[in-house]
Every structure is written in C-alpha cells, then in structure tokens.
Amino acid sequence: MATDDKETTMSHHEAPRPYQQLHQQLLSVIAPSRIITNPDLCLAYGTDASFYRLIPKMVVRLKNIQEVIFCLKSCHQLNVAVTFRAAGTSLSGQAISDSVLITLTDDWREHRVLEQGRKVRLQPGVIGADANRYLAPYQRKIGPDPASINSCKIGGIAANNASGMCCGTAHNTYKTVESMKIVFSDGSLLDTGDSESILDFKQQHPHFIEQLETLCDETLGDPELCQRIFHKYRLKNTTGYALNALVDYQTPIEVIEHLMVGSEGTLGFIAEITYNTIEDCPHKATSLMVFNDIETASQAVTALASTPVSAVELMDGRSLRSIAHQPNMPEFIAALDFDACALLIDVQGSNCDELAQHCDKVTKALQAFEFKASVPFTQDADVIQHLWNIRKGLFPAVGAVRDTGTTVIIEDVAFPVDKLAQGTRELQQLLTQHGYDEAIIFGHALDGNLHFVFTQSFALASEVERYSAFMTDLSQLVAVKYQGSLKAEHGTGRNMAPYVELEWGPQGYALMQKIKTLFDPKGILNPGVLINADPTCHLKHLKPIPPANPLIDACIECGFCEPVCPSRSLSLSPRQRIVLHRERQHRVHMQQSVQDLDALFQYQGIDTCAATGLCAERCPVNINTGDLIKQLRAQTAPKNGVIARWSAKHFSAVTRLAKIGLSTQYQINKWGSDQTLYKWSLALRKRTQDQTPIWFADLPKGNHFALVSEPETPANSTHRKVVYMPSCSSRVMGNHRQQKDTRSLTEVTLSVLKKAGFDVIIPRDVDQLCCGMPFDSKGKQDLASDKAQQLQKALWQASRQGEYPVLIDTSPCVKHSLEQFSQSMKIYEPAQFTCEYLLPLLDIEPIEETVMLHVTCSSQKMGLEASMLTLAKRCAQEVIIPEHITCCGWAGDKGLITPELNAAALAPLKHQTPKQVTRGFSNSLTCELGLTYHSGICYQSILYLVDEATKTKVTTSP
C-alpha cells in the first residue's frame, strides 16, 4: 500500500544511491538528453496544473513502450517511486512527484481509425481534440469531452476517467473503452485486445488472476457494499478506484481493463487505448435561459432530463456577473443579480428535421417556467460560439482578477440531481461562511455535477487553516449529508485522498487498498495519490505563486499553452518558463544566488523562445510569455545599442548590404560544397559561441528588382488603387535554388495586382521603411516604435489618409503594424487581401496538384486560417495542412542563429509531406526558408500560387 511515508523517505537529501544506479541503468537504453537531473529543470518539468508542488529527482522523457517497460523494470528492481505525466493539465495533484517523473515525447501520437470510425486506437500522447479531428470525416467522436480537450492527452483522459459537458456517465472512458495496452509496475505487459497477450499474461501471473477473482467474489458477496457501489455510480464519480468494475464485469481481464480507468497512474501505465466512438451529430442548436433563482433552474433541469438534450450547463448569478464585461456577451447579463441562475442548453440532431423536433420538445418542457431573460435556440455558429464562450470563460474570469500571490482552485462535486437545488444553496452558503465571497458555481446540471472556483493564498498558516476547515465542511456536506461525489470528474489526486474513506466507508476503502496492493505490491506507482494514510496530505506540498512580473502573475500554470509552443520539445514551454522565472524572483527576494539559474535560463528560456505569442491564444487569461522574454532580452541587450540605432537610421543601407551579402553567398553556393560550407560555419559558430549564423544552403539571392510606383490616375477615376508595401524581407530576398519561378515576391505581387486591374502605389523612400518587428524581437522597443511610426506616416500619406487599402506581402509585418499603428487604415496580408479584393476579379483555374500549406503564427493570431485555406483550395486541387506545426520557429533570425529551434518546431513536417508533393505555400518569406529546408520541397508565398492559377487579366470597372 502506498502512503506519503514513501515520499518522505525519498527526499532529495536521502538515499541517493538508488537514483544513481537508476541513472546508470537508464543510460544504457535512453539518450542522455532525455534523462533530466538538473534540479531547476526538474522543477520546470515537474510542475502541473494543480496547486501542489513536488520536485522530481529525475525526469525521464520516453519515446516508446520498450523504454517504458525497461524504465519500470529498473524502478521496480531498485524500489524507486515513479509517476506518469501526459499533458500535466490535471488539477488535483495526481501528476507530480519527488522521485521519478515519466513524461512522453511527441512520438506517442500514433492513431488508427477502425471500422469506419466506430472505433479508434490511440496512443496516450494523442491530444483529445486531435482524436476528434481524426474521427470528424466519419461524423464520430470519442465520448469524453473535458474542457481541456485542446491540451489534455488521451493518457490523462483515460487515467482520470475525464468526462465533460456532454459526456455524462454514459460516454466516459469507463463506458466506451474497447481495449487497452497496459504496462504494470514490474514491467509486464498486457494487451486486453489481443488473445495471445491475454493467454500469456494469465500464464505468467496466475496468482494475480486468482486474487483478482477472489476480490470480485468477495465484493459480489457483500450486499451492502454492492448497494453502495450501485448508488455511487448512478452519479458522476471519480473518487477512488472504479469499484464498479468488480461488479459490472465477470472476466479478470475486463476487470483489469476497467480498474485502470480513473486509476491515475497508481496501478499501471496505459500505453494504448481503443475507444468505441459515439456519433457526432452535424446539426446543433443552443439556447440560454435565465431563471430567477437556483430552485427554479433546478426544477427546469428535472424537466429537461426526459428531453433529447445533449448538454445542460448551470451557471449561478456570480458566475454570470464575472463575465458580463467580456465582448459579445448578451446585454442582459450585466443587469442580473446574484440570485439569478442560467441554463445553457445544447441540442443536436442527425438532420435538420430531427434537430427541429428536439428543439420543439425542449421548448415545450420549459413552457411551465418563468424566464428572467433568454436567448432562444439558434443554429447560427457565431452566436453558438459566443454562448459557449460564456461557459468556457468562467474559470479564467476568476483567474484573471485574483490577487497576486494567490492561486485558483477549481473543485467539482456531484449531488443527486433531485437534491441539486438544496446542495447548490448550501454550497454557496459554505463558500460565503469561509470567506470565499468571489467564488462562482457552474457545472453539468443533468449529472448534478457542480464546479466551483475560488482564489486561495497559502502564504500564511491561517489561510491554510481556512482552506482545511472548508474542505472538512465540504466533505461532510457532499459525501455525508447528500451522499454525493467529492470528485465527479477531476480525479481524486492528493486533494481528495484523505476523504476517500469518508465517502466510500471502511469496506469500500479497504477494497481499494487491496486493489492497490495487488497491482503495485511495492507501492512505487504514484505514491500518495488516491490512497494515502496521511489525513493532512492535502495540506502539504502546496505550490507557492510568488509575484514575479505583472506580465505573467495571472498565470495559473495550467499548461494549455504547451501544444502550440515551438520550443516545447527542445527546451522549455511557456508554462515552464514562467515557473523558472517565478523561482528566480523568489530567490532574489530571499537573497539567494541565481547565477546558475540565470545561466540555465539564458538558453532554455530566452534564446530558444520564438516570442511569437501563440501561447496567449491558448491561455485562459491571455498571457503572452513572449512579451516577458522580449522584456528580459531588453534587460540583457547592450545598453548603447550603437549598431541597432545605426541600422534603424540607415535602414536602406542595411537592406542594400543584405542584398549584396545574399547574392555573394548565392554565388558561393554554386561552386562550394554545401557540406564543406556547413562545417566551416559550425567551426565559426563554435569560436563565436553561437553568435554567428549557420550556413544555410537554401538562402535566396538578393532581390535587385526595382520598385517603382505607377503614374497615379486621378483619385476620382474608376481605376482600383492599392498601396503595396513590400516587407524588408521581400525587398531583400529573391528566389532560391529550389524555386522554379525565378521571379522575386515583389515581381509576383505586382503581377497579381495588375491582372486584377489595380493601380499600384509604392510608398516613398520604401527602402528606408520597416514595421519595427526586427528591433522589437531583440528587445529594442524604442527603435521598434520609431520605425513603426515612420512606416505609419508613409502609409497614411500613400493611402490618401486611409482611403486606399494597403497590402503588405508578409503576415508578421501586418500583425505588428496593426498592433502599433494608431491611425485607421485598411491593412492586409496576401491571403486576406486576395480573398476580399481580388478573387471576384481574377479568372482562376485550379492547378492539378496537391500542395502543402503553412498558416503562420501571425495569421493564426489574426484569425486568417480560413482565408488562407479558402484561397489555397481555390487555386489547387488538394491542400494539406500538416498537423502539430503551429509556429515554424524561424522567428526573425532564430532559423540562422538558433537553428535547432526551427528544426524542433518543424520536426513533424517531412514525414507528413507526401512523395508526390513538390511545393508548399505560406505568407512569410523567412518562415518559407525553414519550411523549405525541413520539408525537402519548395515553399513560396501563396501569391505565387494565385498568380499561377490566374489565367487572364480582368479589366471590368468596379
């Protein structure tokens, strides 16, 4: 049996020898770069979304099941505790360790759709949303739908039996698992979908099978315990082990399979799982109904239970008020009082008629109730998105306004549905009684499942005591008075481990202890989680959230940012950067040395950050970790900045020199060996401590095409006019060796514009102009601002004070300009401008070719994915957007100075590029350089594709 005693005996200061032995054993199989022992890196990698913190002694990043088996055998032999981590979005402390933490590399993403989508086989590293994307062509999806589905991974979804807004108890992992591949604590393997594996496991583990059968018999022979199990699982329940497995299934293999669901890594490692999928209805409608009070809303929930609703989300008055100020909210929300209670109702149908019938049944069921306000059922996708944003914005709404130094705690409980109103009222009173006046309550009403969110400081003993008293009262209210679930879907973790026996009683808890001992006799798997003999374990190892910087103080370390970070597999993710920066500021405050941490963070945190800000797009509280990094770069940049200031002042000279340099290297490339030149550049980089660029054979030659404005026609003429502002990169760079079309981007852009019949206006002194982004990325905000204002003035003049649209040919420059400019101008990147202005004027015939498409991070942040895909599909027969590539990692000059960042970001690209594909398209020249190098095909601006697909010139007047 595992207890916290196991943890305390394995502190950083005791028994180092087993870890040394383990390290040596692992090195025989696992690359040294994937065995992390540096304490600061272990702190960064060891942090999850919960409000607990343990620092692993070792983090091991494993890439396949053979490595997992070897690692577990080694830990079992040496009696070393081990914890598994998927995405680290768990909220209850089940994914942290002070021993060995096993994380997964990106190699664990294999998937296979089976039986026309009725089943899907997934490795634990597959993100939940990706699984649904693979199933979308079959109009199917996995049953679980947790709120973190865009970040959490299948391993965590299964290990926590996560559910969600539409999942309920009918479609969670327990109910929809078909089979799984399991590695046990001693390294033995069982594939429950393979008859040979089952036979072999039974032969190798007869005692295990016999004991498990005995446990099933004892459970079935205990009517009182069986009755308790049946009651507990009428509700949503993830407290403790899935004891229903012992009464729902007859064969030991089925019991094992279902005990693994929700076991939080304490019984074994789920290496693969096959799900029975559910229908994903194509037609959906959503309504928001606001009632005077929680009692009326709960009565409405009871009425809705017999109707064909797919989801009913309850939100109390405080939660509604917390998001009233956000964009696109219904106006009536701001006027609601705290007694109000809303239901967000979702209805689905296989076709339009079925959807209409379902909506009608729901509407009739609600006719007996009086509404305070409502948004009637709508099928408008934008309105539906806005309505669901109300629900999804509740958790971050509290996180964004909390006091610095406090953490956000989100708990979930379940009441019997017929006791929902009383339970919610008493929960509100309990929160107020303990001083959590900011707390909000929302949840999945059909299941009686409520989430409540409040802020908590653990800095003072009195605050810890307040939290402890609240948890004691909460457990009595939910588990004793209402016989509900203390954990409905977030997993037991460390937080509810002391209350498992209270909820399940001595018989149920004793059975769980036996299960743990049977599966993990040495107690090495995730000790302290789910089964814990320490009644105060939920009050220990509390995570500090010290103030560090206003840019990141709101971070709740949820990890939602990680999937889109280009450096996540190379160095640190945004969450991990924030963790280490907080640790640094804490050490400074405590007057401790930060020299070693600074040396580590310079590369891990600063040098390898692309600083593109995609993390903010996924962050619940909109934190842009890139802004922090740019601020830190500014602090370490040379104070005088002579070269930077000279470059800004003489920008046209800089671009001329760059053109000469590119043309020179292009000629060298013709006679020099790529490999020789590459080795020379490596030697030079070594001597300059990586301050010089890598030799990049695919760098283009200089662009010497002369840009000249056409004579302007009168302003009142019928000619269409556009201001074309070529970016500094397109003015400098011409074509590279792989390009069949030898024209520069500036020539191609002019060609497309002329085919559409536009007069093209080039701003005056264009070679001196720059949006300022190159200076901003280096931390030179003053110079960046100066260049942006210079460009704004030039474009304002060229566009006749915003009358003419402005086309900038690379997306990063557009985004940066839009952020910096104060005057109102219509500024477009290529895809957006083409879709809005050119498509109606061009005669396009799609080329008979499959092409790749890369949507840059700047385009993603501007919401232009759809425009780029629409345009590409208009111009090519088939378009492929490779998955798991968000930012390419070139990031200004990182592709040359820190090429490993570009390589890490684009690692999945080459194997996703079909052999017959020879070209790819994007809308940023520098991004296209890295894409070309790492894909093996030529990437160009999407304007090349538009120009090629356009057959004739259109001269019709507007």
Side-chain angles (χ1 to χ4, degrees):
M1 182 179 67
T3 71
D4 256 4
D5 294 337
K6 177 74 69 175
E7 295 177 28
T8 55
T9 58
M10 291 185 176
S11 71
H12 280 274
H13 303 292
E14 298 177 16
R17 183 171 176 78
Y19 294 97
Q20 294 174 358
Q21 290 178 300
L22 178 63
H23 194 188
Q24 290 302 312
Q25 285 186 213
L26 295 180
L27 283 172
S28 66
V29 172
I30 300 163
S33 61
R34 292 190 282 113
I35 304 174
I36 299 160
T37 56
N38 178 285
D40 291 326
L41 284 180
C42 285
L43 166 64
Y45 278 92
T47 299
D48 75 348
S50 73
F51 52 95
Y52 296 99
R53 168 168 293 167
L54 290 173
I55 303 175
K57 294 182 180 64
M58 184 184 302
V59 177
V60 188
R61 302 182 67 236
L62 304 181
K63 63 187 301 183
N64 55 50
I65 192 169
Q66 289 76 26
E67 290 186 351
V68 170
I69 291 171
F70 179 78
C71 187
L72 280 179
K73 283 183 176 179
S74 299
C75 290
H76 188 266
Q77 174 193 344
L78 295 168
N79 201 29
V80 172
V82 60
T83 296
F84 308 110
R85 161 82 61 83
T89 59
S90 300
L91 297 164
S92 303
Q94 56 265 68
I96 58 174
S97 171
D98 64 353
S99 185
V100 174
L101 181 69
I102 292 179
T103 65
L104 307 179
T105 67
D106 285 345
D107 300 276
W108 293 83
R109 286 174 164 171
E110 291 184 13
H111 65 277
R112 186 178 178 188
V113 177
L114 307 168
E115 299 180 15
Q116 293 299 303
R118 289 188 293 275
K119 296 179 182 179
V120 64
R121 185 173 298 145
L122 302 164
Q123 285 193 323
V126 174
I127 293 173
D130 287 341
N132 285 339
R133 189 160 47 80
Y134 305 143
L135 292 165
Y138 307 92
Q139 293 189 1
R140 308 287 294 183
K141 63 181 180 180
I142 60 172
D145 62 333
S148 58
I149 196 166
N150 289 324
S151 303
C152 66
K153 297 177 179 179
I154 292 299
I157 289 174
N160 291 294
N161 197 22
S163 48
M165 290 176 279
C166 300
C167 174
T169 57
H171 299 136
N172 58 22
T173 299
Y174 182 90
K175 291 293 181 66
T176 59
V177 60
E178 169 69 15
S179 65
M180 65 172 64
K181 193 176 290 184
I182 307 163
V183 183
F184 294 94
S185 64
D186 61 355
S188 57
L189 177 66
L190 169 64
D191 184 348
T192 68
D194 184 294
S195 57
E196 290 188 12
S197 176
I198 293 172
L199 180 61
D200 181 66
F201 184 82
K202 288 181 175 180
Q203 292 175 343
Q204 296 295 324
H205 301 83
H207 181 63
F208 180 95
I209 296 296
E210 180 183 340
Q211 284 190 294
L212 188 59
E213 289 175 333
T214 299
L215 287 180
C216 290
D217 292 340
E218 290 176 353
T219 304
L220 289 169
D222 187 335
E224 183 181 348
L225 179 56
C226 284
Q227 182 59 38
R228 189 166 190 82
I229 291 172
F230 292 141
H231 166 74
K232 298 300 292 183
Y233 289 105
R234 279 196 291 265
L235 305 175
K236 266 189 178 181
N237 192 323
T238 59
T239 307
Y241 291 122
L243 297 186
N244 47 341
L246 281 71
V247 298
D248 288 346
Y249 298 95
Q250 280 67 53
T251 70
I253 300 303
E254 288 179 304
V255 174
I256 291 170
E257 185 177 83
H258 288 82
L259 278 173
M260 287 297 300
V261 176
S263 62
E264 301 174 30
T266 64
L267 302 182
F269 173 76
I270 300 174
E272 183 181 88
I273 185 167
T274 300
Y275 278 100
N276 293 303
T277 64
I278 64 173
E279 182 182 7
D280 184 17
C281 294
H283 300 276
K284 299 176 176 67
T286 302
S287 172
L288 180 69
M289 305 291 182
V290 183
F291 302 87
N292 288 315
D293 49 53
I294 182 65
E295 286 80 11
T296 308
S298 297
Q299 291 169 10
V301 171
T302 302
L304 290 170
S306 59
T307 67
V309 290
S310 58
V312 178
E313 292 293 298
L314 180 146
M315 296 171 281
D316 74 353
R318 288 185 183 275
S319 64
L320 292 169
R321 287 286 293 275
S322 72
I323 46 81
H325 63 285
Q326 295 181 4
N328 302 310
M329 293 294 117
E331 293 182 2
F332 60 76
I333 289 184
L336 296 175
D337 55 40
F338 287 159
D339 285 332
C341 186
L343 297 180
L344 183 65
I345 305 168
D346 191 71
V347 176
Q348 301 181 7
S350 299
N351 53 58
C352 292
D353 289 341
E354 184 179 61
L355 178 65
Q357 292 172 11
H358 289 176
C359 288
D360 185 56
K361 289 180 180 179
V362 172
T363 302
K364 287 179 179 178
L366 294 174
Q367 284 179 346
F369 300 94
E370 181 181 346
F371 303 126
K372 197 178 186 76
S374 69
V375 177
F377 275 114
T378 177
Q379 297 181 54
D380 185 301
D382 290 336
V383 177
I384 290 175
Q385 185 64 52
H386 294 326
L387 291 176
W388 277 102
N389 284 344
I390 296 174
R391 164 65 177 83
K392 294 175 181 177
L394 296 178
F395 177 46
V398 175
V401 298
R402 77 183 195 276
D403 292 336
T404 300
T406 63
T407 190
V408 179
I409 294 179
I410 178 171
E411 283 298 352
D412 77 306
V413 299
F415 294 104
V417 177
D418 60 344
K419 304 294 184 183
L420 180 61
Q422 303 96 303
T424 306
R425 279 293 187 201
E426 293 191 43
L427 178 57
Q428 288 174 328
Q429 293 166 4
L430 191 63
L431 287 162
T432 301
Q433 174 189 332
H434 288 278
Y436 299 113
D437 299 320
E438 78 291 354
I440 64 174
I441 298 176
F442 54 93
H444 318 311
L446 288 176
D447 301 301
N449 178 195
L450 296 179
H451 301 300
F452 53 97
V453 181
F454 58 94
T455 61
Q456 174 73 52
S457 169
F458 293 119
L460 301 174
S462 59
E463 284 295 302
V464 177
E465 290 171 5
R466 176 169 72 123
Y467 176 71
S468 175
F470 169 74
M471 290 295 291
T472 298
D473 289 348
L474 175 71
S475 63
Q476 289 294 321
L477 173 68
V478 177
V480 179
K481 181 174 182 178
Y482 286 106
Q483 291 295 298
S485 306
L486 285 168
K487 281 292 186 178
E489 60 180 5
H490 289 174
T492 306
R494 298 170 184 276
N495 197 29
M496 285 299 176
Y499 303 103
V500 174
E501 184 171 6
L502 176 71
E503 178 168 335
W504 276 99
Q507 294 163 291
Y509 189 65
L511 178 56
M512 292 183 189
Q513 291 175 308
K514 292 176 182 178
I515 291 169
K516 172 65 175 175
T517 302
L518 175 61
F519 277 74
D520 181 24
K522 288 191 174 183
I524 65 169
L525 296 182
N526 214 1
V529 170
L530 203 146
I531 297 292
N532 199 313
D534 183 355
T536 61
C537 68
H538 63 306
L539 305 176
K540 297 176 179 177
H541 310 299
L542 299 170
K543 180 193 293 183
I545 306 286
N549 188 304
L551 290 172
I552 60 166
D553 282 341
C555 177
I556 53 181
E557 299 179 2
C558 65
F560 286 8
C561 55
E562 292 186 333
V564 296
C565 178
S567 65
R568 67 185 183 277
S569 63
L570 171 67
S571 53
L572 299 177
S573 70
R575 166 168 62 179
Q576 293 162 351
R577 287 183 169 90
I578 290 173
V579 167
L580 287 190
H581 186 68
R582 281 175 166 165
E583 176 65 15
R584 183 193 188 278
Q585 299 308 99
H586 172 68
R587 292 182 190 178
V588 169
H589 178 73
M590 300 299 293
Q591 297 183 330
Q592 298 173 357
S593 173
V594 294
Q595 185 176 356
D596 291 342
L597 179 55
D598 282 350
L600 173 79
F601 196 74
Q602 182 62 47
Y603 178 81
Q604 295 280 341
I606 297 177
D607 292 347
T608 54
C609 178
T612 56
L614 271 184
C615 45
E617 301 298 296
R618 293 290 189 94
C619 177
V621 290
N622 301 310
I623 292 171
N624 185 340
T625 310
D627 288 343
L628 170 70
I629 297 303
K630 287 189 282 189
Q631 188 181 92
L632 297 177
R633 287 172 182 167
Q635 294 172 5
T636 58
K639 298 302 180 184
N640 52 17
V642 173
I643 295 177
R645 293 190 180 280
W646 185 91
S647 299
K649 188 175 182 180
H650 302 90
F651 202 75
S652 59
V654 173
T655 58
R656 284 197 299 273
L657 290 171
K659 290 180 187 180
I660 294 170
L662 286 172
S663 294
T664 301
Q665 70 84 34
Y666 191 82
Q667 293 301 318
I668 294 173
N669 272 346
K670 285 185 175 182
W671 58 261
S673 162
D674 288 347
Q675 195 61 32
T676 300
L677 296 171
Y678 177 73
K679 289 180 180 179
W680 286 354
S681 73
L682 288 181
L684 182 59
R685 279 172 61 78
K686 187 175 181 179
R687 295 192 64 178
T688 61
Q689 296 184 329
D690 293 339
Q691 295 303 302
T692 52
I694 199 78
W695 183 266
F696 202 75
D698 286 315
L699 277 179
K701 63 183 178 182
N703 178 12
H704 298 285
F705 177 76
L707 285 163
V708 180
S709 284
E710 298 176 353
E712 287 196 47
T713 55
N716 60 357
S717 75
T718 59
H719 283 243
R720 307 174 188 89
K721 292 179 173 61
V722 61
V723 175
Y724 171 37
M725 174 60 212
S727 65
C728 48
S729 59
S730 63
R731 298 198 308 268
V732 168
M733 296 181 186
N735 61 300
H736 56 76
R737 289 189 297 183
Q738 293 195 40
Q739 279 185 233
K740 294 180 181 178
D741 190 334
T742 60
R743 296 174 299 165
S744 66
L745 175 56
T746 50
E747 294 174 79
V748 171
T749 304
L750 291 173
S751 173
V752 173
L753 293 173
K754 288 177 181 177
K755 285 180 179 179
F758 273 83
D759 284 346
V760 180
I761 302 167
I762 306 295
R764 293 179 182 175
D765 300 322
V766 66
D767 285 337
Q768 184 60 23
L769 300 178
C770 172
C771 69
M773 187 168 57
F775 300 96
D776 180 72
S777 65
K778 297 296 185 183
K780 297 292 183 181
Q781 278 80 20
D782 56 338
L783 297 180
S785 178
D786 290 345
K787 296 305 293 182
Q789 295 310 307
Q790 182 186 24
L791 177 60
Q792 178 181 231
K793 183 178 179 181
L795 295 180
W796 184 249
Q797 181 181 17
S799 67
R800 291 179 63 90
Q801 292 73 52
E803 179 182 347
Y804 306 147
V806 176
L807 169 62
I808 303 179
D809 55 21
T810 53
S811 63
C813 301
V814 174
K815 181 182 175 297
H816 189 76
S817 298
L818 290 171
E819 291 172 345
Q820 298 297 315
F821 290 179
S822 57
Q823 292 173 312
S824 179
M825 287 183 280
K826 295 173 287 187
I827 300 176
Y828 299 88
E829 57 76 56
Q832 186 185 22
F833 183 82
T834 303
C835 288
E836 187 167 332
Y837 285 90
L838 304 185
L839 281 185
L841 305 172
L842 297 175
D843 180 11
I844 291 180
E845 182 179 326
I847 62 172
E848 295 183 1
E849 188 177 335
T850 299
V851 301
M852 305 293 287
L853 181 68
H854 174 72
V855 183
T856 59
C857 46
S858 49
S859 294
Q860 293 175 55
K861 295 186 74 173
M862 292 187 289
L864 298 178
E865 299 100 318
S867 294
M868 286 194 71
L869 185 58
T870 296
L871 181 57
K873 286 184 174 180
R874 278 289 301 271
C875 297
Q877 188 178 49
E878 184 181 353
V879 179
I880 297 173
I881 299 181
E883 63 178 359
H884 307 133
I885 295 173
T886 49
C887 171
C888 72
W890 188 276
D893 62 0
K894 291 292 183 187
L896 298 173
I897 301 298
T898 316
E900 62 271 29
L901 174 62
N902 186 224
L906 296 180
L909 178 58
K910 193 160 190 175
H911 81 270
Q912 294 185 68
T913 305
K915 290 182 179 180
Q916 73 274 16
V917 175
T918 60
R919 290 192 294 174
F921 297 94
S922 189
N923 57 358
S924 172
L925 263 171
T926 51
C927 297
E928 290 152 20
L929 293 176
L931 290 161
T932 296
Y933 182 76
H934 291 288
S935 67
I937 65 172
C938 177
Y939 271 81
Q940 296 171 283
S941 169
I942 197 167
L943 289 175
Y944 282 86
L945 180 61
V946 175
D947 191 54
E948 183 177 342
T950 301
K951 300 306 176 185
T952 60
K953 177 180 178 181
V954 177
T955 57
T956 305
S957 298

